[in-house]
Amino acid sequence: ASMWGRSLELLGSMWREQMAVGTFIGDQAIIACQRASEWARALDVLHSMVEHSVEIGTMSCGAAIQACGKASMWGRSLELLGTMFREHIEMDTII
């Protein structure tokens, strides 16, 4: 299986087992998706983090924005930037 696929499987099993999932683990799953050009999966992980009350931050959003940008999904990238602004998530030079 691919690295991003294994990351999503692990993340899903952690949530099913009601294990604590921190921001770092979610970020790494998004980064794995971004590296594999799986922009939709990256957004799925980001939304799942919010649903499971995992704090999203600069790294989470930045990786998802990069995944969308890599796929020329500029509208999605701009939506995420808007979300970051509304939610007062710090933006830095990475984004």
Side-chain angles (χ1 to χ4, degrees), residues 20-89:
V21 174
T23 303
F24 178 79
I25 294 171
D27 289 353
Q28 294 308 306
I30 294 172
I31 290 168
C33 293
Q34 181 263 324
R35 288 182 178 157
S37 300
E38 292 287 338
W39 68 272
R41 300 288 181 128
L43 292 180
D44 288 344
V45 173
L46 190 66
H47 294 298
S48 292
M49 288 172 69
V50 172
E51 288 175 8
H52 288 90
S53 301
V54 177
E55 184 177 346
I56 60 170
T58 304
M59 184 69 70
S60 314
C61 294
I65 288 169
Q66 288 177 10
C68 292
K70 195 173 180 181
S72 298
M73 300 300 294
W74 307 114
R76 298 289 182 140
S77 294
L78 291 173
E79 287 174 18
L80 284 171
L81 282 172
T83 298
M84 290 180 74
F85 181 76
R86 282 190 306 281
E87 299 296 323
H88 306 287
I89 297 171

